[in-house]
């Protein structure tokens, strides 16, 4: 029999399982003595089925795997009330241990991220086609709410580039912000409200695992494509172009850029934009090279805004074609609940846009929170994060804010600045409040070119070439998902890129579920361990016995494929044996340790496999079925069909039964 038969899987390089290991004394014994000493173990019989208890256990593990009510057991009513408040408002849990040392670190971090967020917010609001003050509003109210309800100590809350671009693109498809600014703002606030509702619902119902369907590879591609699209759209402000395409794809943008070369570019604007862009990139390089100088790129945007605003004011460059912010409404957030659509056709538009934006914002925010929690070695509750972000966006929609989430650049600065708790978000909010009340008139002469430069320098870090190369090395299908999302965003639109990312991620899941791997096993010399013969070429097959491992649960979606794939293994082996005039196959052993579950379609497929093998005069045996599988094959009476003597605890047991006098060559 052939020693090396190509299969469709590379087995994990691990040692034998505990029920297959042999000690060193056994290995020196002759093969026949080992077989005599080896004891065949009986497969455990299933307990009496408790259907309700089993269903309850499955539902508990699915939705309440972290046992959120464990802390409330055996507690007094007063203690339960305190724990309930801490669960809803984590700030009550850590505020008791707060001290001046932590306050000092949080104040420094808050002031640092405020210097970064103020100029970024002005630019991100433009990216969402909103007045500049709405960006500042979104860094005032949402961070305050999150500070009381969020479980992350390091995340910095506010508008982010990708979500701003996504919202601006989706809402612009429904309402033109230039011709109908009021309706545009109303739909934006409606989308923000439903983004918060989506996030809050996912957290309250503990459905946070849904955001994991957007794979890491898809997120890398989507973020990289969005960074390219955002940067290209900033060419309008960087070059001083007045007439610009509304389409986000690279072809339309570049056509607008080059068609305005002779009459649309403004050299004063270009000088301001390019000079400060070079300055911002230089400071980022300095901060990357020397971690102690993290504050340099953090305060660089604010310095750029101050210097460029002063330069435009004293030279009156706005009279020479340099576009400026011109007007920012002073004062705190005005109420906006009355502007949200709760009736009419715009409700569904707002829900559709908001649910998409809310999911993207959640994915980014939770990923950032988990990243920094891993660095500092503390736990972040994903469901609490969703509830916190949903609440802050719902309240934000009532106070003229648009969708806010965790910002990676600001969170990184927050971490580097030495933050200890979410108080840094409160400090940042207070600085933004002072800016809204006292400083906004100063931004009147801020050139749009500097905002474009700030956005470009901020989003370039979203293009992660190292991650893309790593994805290519690890999984080619993941790389296809990554590139699909990337090129979808760059060449079509943000929403199409996102749709491609989700579609390819689901396609990968379906492919893995419907086409699971099967592996041909052989025996490692002088052991009772059976491994993939493709990975271990020195593993030998037992004459007259074919051993196949199924590396997946057996469901309706893959049961027919698994049956046909096993029969193909049998057919291929029989042809090779016939050519070499070797003994035919008498037994087929299906190793089922990786089979975590099986449904009725899977049982039916095993029955069909059994009948097909009977026609070929081949006996079917199962080895190492798990608890769930053994319960179901007993319940289906498949055991009666195949015979109790054909179900074994291990492959070694089956071999000892079918070939007790087998000797290694």
């Amino acid at each position: 029999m052939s020693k090396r038969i190509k299969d469709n899987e590379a087995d994990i390089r691990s040692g034998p399982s505990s029920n297959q290991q042999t000690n060193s004394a056994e290995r020196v014994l002759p093969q026949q003595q080992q077989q005599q000493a080896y004891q065949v173990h009986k497969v455990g019989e299933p307990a009496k089925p408790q259907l309700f208890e089993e269903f309850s256990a499955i539902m508990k593990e699915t939705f309440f795997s972290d046992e959120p009510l464990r802390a409330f057991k055996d507690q007094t009513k007063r203690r339960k009330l305190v724990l309930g408040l801490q669960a809803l408002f984590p700030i009550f849990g850590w505020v008791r241990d707060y001290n001046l040392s932590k306050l000092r670190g949080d104040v420094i971090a808050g002031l640092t991220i405020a210097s970064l967020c103020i100029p970024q917010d002005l630019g991100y609001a433009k990216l969402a086609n909103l007045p500049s003050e709405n960006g500042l509003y979104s860094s005032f109210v949402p961070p305050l709410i999150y500070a009381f309800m969020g479980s992350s100590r390091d995340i910095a809350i506010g508008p982010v580039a990708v979500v701003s671009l996504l919202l601006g693109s989706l809402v612009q498809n429904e309402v033109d912000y230039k011709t109908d600014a009021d309706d545009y703002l109303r739909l934006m606030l409606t989308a923000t409200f439903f983004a918060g509702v989506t996030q809050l619902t996912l957290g309250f119902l503990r459905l946070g695992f849904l955001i994991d369907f957007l794979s890491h590879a898809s997120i890398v591609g989507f973020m990289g494509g969005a960074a390219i699209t955002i940067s290209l759209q900033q060419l309008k402000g960087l070059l001083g172009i007045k007439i610009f395409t509304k389409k986000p794809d690279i072809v339309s943008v570049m056509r607008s850029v080059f068609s305005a070369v002779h009459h649309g570019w403004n050299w004063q604007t270009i000088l301001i934009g390019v000079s400060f862009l070079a300055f911002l990139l230089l400071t980022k390089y300095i901060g990357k090279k020397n971690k102690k100088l993290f504050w340099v790129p953090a305060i660089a945007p604010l310095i750029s805004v101050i210097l460029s605003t002063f330069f435009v004011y004293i030279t009156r460059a706005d009279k020479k074609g340099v576009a400026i912010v011109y007007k920012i409404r002073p004062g705190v957030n005005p109420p906006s609940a009355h502007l949200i659509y709760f009736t009419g056709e715009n409700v569904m538009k707002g829900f559709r846009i908001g649910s998409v934006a809310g999911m993207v914002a959640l994915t980014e925010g939770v990923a950032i929170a988990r990243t920094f929690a891993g660095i500092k070695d503390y736990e972040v509750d994903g469901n609490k994060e969703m509830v916190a972000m949903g609440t802050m966006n719902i309240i934000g929609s009532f106070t003229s804010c648009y969708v806010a989430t965790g910002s990676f650049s600001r969170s990184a600065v927050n971490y580097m600045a030495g933050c200890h708790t979410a108080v840094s978000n409160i400090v940042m909010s207070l600085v933004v409040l002072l800016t809204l009340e006292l400083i906004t008139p100063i931004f009147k002469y801020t050139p749009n070119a500097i905002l474009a430069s700030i956005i470009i320098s901020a989003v370039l870090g979203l293009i992660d070439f190292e991650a893309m190369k790593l994805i290519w090395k690890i999984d080619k299908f993941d790389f296809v998902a990554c590139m699909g999302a990337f090129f979808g965003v760059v060449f079509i639109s943000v929403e199409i890129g996102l749709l491609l990312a989700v579609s390819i991620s689901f396609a990968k899941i379906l492919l893995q579920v419907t086409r699971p791997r099967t592996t041909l096993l052989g025996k490692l010399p002088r052991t009772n361990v059976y491994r993939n013969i493709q990975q271990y070429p020195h593993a030998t097959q037992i004459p007259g016995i074919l051993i196949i491992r199924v590396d997946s649960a057996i469901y309706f979606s893959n049961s027919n494929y698994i049956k046909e794939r096993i029969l193909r293994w049998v057919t291929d082996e029989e042809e090779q044996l016939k050519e070499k005039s070797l003994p035919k196959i008498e037994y087929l052993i299906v190793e089922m340790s990786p089979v975590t579950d099986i449904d009725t379609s899977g049982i039916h497929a095993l029955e069909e496999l059994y009948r097909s093998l009977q026609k070929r005069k081949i006996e079917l045996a199962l080895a190492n079925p798990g608890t769930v599988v053994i319960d179901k094959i007993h319940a289906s009476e498949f055991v009666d069909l195949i015979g109790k003597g054909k179900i074994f605890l291990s492959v070694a047991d089956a071999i000892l039964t079918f070939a007790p006098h087998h000797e290694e060559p």
Side-chain angles (χ1 to χ4, degrees):
M1 184 177 290
S2 171
K3 285 187 179 181
R4 301 183 72 181
I5 299 179
K6 185 176 181 181
D7 62 47
N8 57 354
E9 183 263 354
D11 193 10
I12 297 176
R13 296 183 181 272
S14 60
S17 57
S18 58
N19 65 332
Q20 292 174 324
Q21 289 181 343
T22 58
N23 58 38
S24 58
E26 290 175 325
R27 296 190 179 188
V28 299
L29 291 173
Q31 183 67 22
Q32 288 186 348
Q33 293 182 21
Q34 286 189 44
Q35 291 171 344
Q36 292 173 1
Y38 189 87
Q39 181 182 358
V40 177
H41 297 275
K42 184 179 179 181
V43 178
E45 295 285 337
K48 185 177 180 180
Q50 302 290 334
L51 298 180
F52 178 77
E53 287 79 359
E54 181 181 353
F55 179 76
S56 298
I58 293 173
M59 296 300 292
K60 180 180 178 181
E61 184 62 26
T62 301
F63 296 102
F64 304 99
S65 58
D66 56 344
E67 298 187 43
L69 300 180
R70 176 193 290 183
F72 292 85
K73 292 181 180 179
D74 303 323
Q75 300 290 339
T76 63
K77 291 183 178 181
R78 178 183 177 85
R79 181 59 181 165
K80 287 180 179 179
L81 177 62
V82 173
L83 291 174
L85 286 174
Q86 290 180 5
L88 187 59
F89 301 102
I91 190 173
F92 292 130
W94 51 260
V95 73
R96 291 171 298 177
D97 300 323
Y98 204 67
N99 52 46
L100 288 177
S101 176
K102 292 181 179 180
L103 177 62
R104 188 184 307 111
D106 287 336
V107 169
I108 294 173
L111 293 174
T112 307
I113 57 176
S115 67
L116 177 62
C117 85
I118 292 171
Q120 281 187 347
D121 291 345
L122 299 175
Y124 293 159
K126 293 288 184 182
L127 197 59
N129 305 316
L130 290 171
S132 299
E133 59 266 20
N134 288 97
L136 294 174
Y137 295 159
S138 302
S139 280
F140 170 44
V141 173
L144 285 176
I145 304 299
Y146 181 86
F148 283 86
M149 300 187 67
S151 59
S152 173
R153 306 171 194 168
D154 302 277
I155 196 171
I157 297 296
V160 296
V162 174
V163 177
S164 299
L165 173 67
L166 180 63
L167 280 170
S169 176
L170 294 176
V171 177
Q172 174 65 24
N173 290 338
E174 304 293 339
V175 181
D176 188 350
Y177 73 95
K178 290 184 178 179
T179 59
D180 202 346
D182 291 339
D183 282 348
Y184 183 91
L185 177 60
R186 293 190 66 183
L187 187 57
M188 181 68 75
L189 294 172
T190 304
T192 301
F193 172 78
F194 282 110
V197 169
T198 301
Q199 295 169 336
L200 182 62
T201 302
L202 290 175
F204 182 75
L205 298 180
R206 308 184 69 78
L207 298 175
F209 60 86
L210 293 177
I211 67 173
D212 294 331
F213 280 99
L214 193 59
S215 67
H216 172 70
S218 299
I219 293 173
V220 169
F222 176 74
M223 291 293 188
I228 297 293
T229 300
I230 291 169
S231 299
L232 290 174
Q233 289 193 337
Q234 299 315 302
L235 293 176
K236 175 185 177 182
L238 196 67
L239 302 176
I241 302 173
K242 295 182 179 179
I243 301 175
F244 204 73
T245 181
K246 296 179 181 178
K247 298 179 180 179
D249 63 282
I250 187 172
V251 176
S252 300
V253 170
M254 297 312 296
R255 186 182 291 119
S256 287
V257 170
F258 288 112
S259 63
V261 169
H262 299 294
H263 60 276
W265 292 17
N266 182 276
W267 71 266
Q268 293 96 334
T269 301
I270 296 174
L271 179 63
I272 295 172
V274 172
S275 299
F276 281 100
L277 177 59
F279 169 70
L280 291 168
L281 294 177
L282 177 63
T283 58
K284 290 189 72 173
Y285 177 79
I286 294 172
K288 187 176 182 180
K289 285 294 182 181
N290 190 340
K291 299 299 183 183
K292 293 182 179 180
L293 298 177
F294 69 91
W295 54 271
V296 174
I299 66 171
L302 186 59
I303 292 174
S304 300
V305 168
I306 294 172
L307 292 178
S308 61
T309 302
F310 179 72
F311 173 77
V312 171
Y313 177 74
I314 63 173
T315 62
R316 296 315 305 264
D318 57 307
K319 301 294 184 181
K320 300 175 183 178
V322 175
I324 59 175
V325 173
Y326 188 68
K327 184 180 180 180
I328 298 180
R329 179 179 175 177
V332 297
N333 305 30
S336 56
H338 63 286
L339 298 176
I340 298 174
Y341 291 113
F342 291 107
T343 58
E345 61 179 11
N346 286 324
V347 173
M348 290 309 300
K349 294 179 182 178
F351 174 77
R352 186 181 69 252
I353 296 170
S355 58
V356 173
M359 291 288 283
V360 174
L362 264 186
T363 302
E364 184 173 357
V366 173
I368 292 169
R370 287 174 176 170
T371 298
F372 288 101
I375 294 174
K376 286 191 174 181
D377 192 25
Y378 66 90
E379 293 296 325
V380 165
D381 189 321
N383 290 299
K384 285 183 181 179
E385 288 296 289
M386 295 173 197
V387 171
M389 291 185 183
T391 304
M392 76 183 188
N393 280 314
I394 290 174
I395 296 176
S397 68
F398 296 156
T399 55
S400 301
C401 304
Y402 73 99
V403 178
T405 187
S407 166
F408 186 81
S409 60
R410 273 176 260 178
S411 299
V413 170
N414 196 30
Y415 167 77
M416 295 296 292
C419 72
H420 294 282
T421 67
V423 169
S424 59
N425 276 288
I426 298 176
V427 175
M428 179 189 70
S429 297
L430 295 177
V431 174
V432 172
L433 171 63
L434 293 175
T435 302
L436 287 167
E437 288 285 8
L438 306 174
I439 309 176
T440 48
I442 297 176
F443 295 118
K444 175 181 178 180
Y445 289 99
T446 300
N448 289 336
I450 197 63
L451 301 181
S453 300
I454 291 171
I455 292 175
I456 292 173
S457 65
V459 301
L460 287 179
L462 297 176
I463 308 174
D464 196 340
F465 292 108
E466 292 300 322
M468 292 180 184
K469 289 193 292 185
L470 186 61
I471 291 169
W472 168 258
K473 292 179 182 178
I474 295 175
D475 192 316
K476 301 300 186 290
F477 201 98
D478 266 354
F479 186 76
V480 171
C482 179
M483 291 296 100
F486 179 84
F487 289 116
V489 173
V490 171
F491 286 98
I492 306 177
S493 66
V494 178
E495 55 269 31
I496 294 299
L498 183 61
L499 179 62
L500 281 173
V502 175
S503 300
I504 296 175
S505 297
F506 270 102
K508 180 183 178 182
I509 294 173
L510 291 175
L511 184 63
Q512 291 176 334
V513 170
T514 59
R515 293 295 182 267
R517 295 182 173 115
T518 56
T519 306
L520 197 62
L521 303 183
K523 184 178 182 181
L524 297 179
R526 297 178 300 280
T527 72
N528 283 315
V529 178
Y530 294 81
R531 287 291 183 266
N532 179 1
I533 62 174
Q534 181 71 16
Q535 183 179 358
Y536 299 93
H538 54 286
T540 58
Q541 295 178 244
I542 312 300
I545 301 176
L546 190 65
I547 309 167
I548 296 175
R549 189 181 69 212
V550 178
D551 291 341
S552 167
I554 306 177
Y555 293 129
F556 66 93
S557 58
N558 61 23
S559 58
N560 193 54
Y561 169 80
I562 291 174
K563 179 198 71 175
E564 293 178 351
R565 187 68 186 89
I566 292 175
L567 290 175
R568 262 189 288 146
W569 278 117
V570 174
T571 301
D572 293 343
E573 281 294 310
E574 286 181 331
E575 290 177 355
Q576 293 187 38
L577 293 172
K578 188 175 181 180
E579 290 176 1
K580 298 178 180 181
S581 300
L582 294 173
K584 69 180 292 294
I585 298 173
E586 297 180 10
Y587 299 97
L588 170 66
I589 302 172
V590 180
E591 213 283 299
M592 302 188 71
S593 56
V595 181
T596 56
D597 200 357
I598 190 169
D599 64 2
T600 53
S601 297
I603 298 290
H604 184 64
L606 289 180
E607 293 172 350
E608 292 182 345
L609 175 64
Y610 171 78
R611 295 188 182 97
S612 297
L613 293 173
Q614 286 290 300
K615 294 177 182 178
R616 303 188 188 199
K617 297 183 179 179
I618 299 175
E619 295 294 325
L620 174 64
L622 306 181
N624 200 14
T627 304
V628 175
V629 175
I630 198 69
D631 286 351
K632 291 186 177 181
I633 62 177
H634 271 275
S636 66
E637 299 181 354
F638 177 73
V639 173
D640 298 332
L641 178 65
I642 190 176
K644 291 185 178 180
K646 299 294 178 61
I647 301 178
F648 299 92
L649 185 65
S650 68
V651 173
D653 285 355
I655 297 298
L656 187 60
T657 301
F658 296 145
H661 303 297
H662 165 69
E663 293 187 11
E664 295 185 11

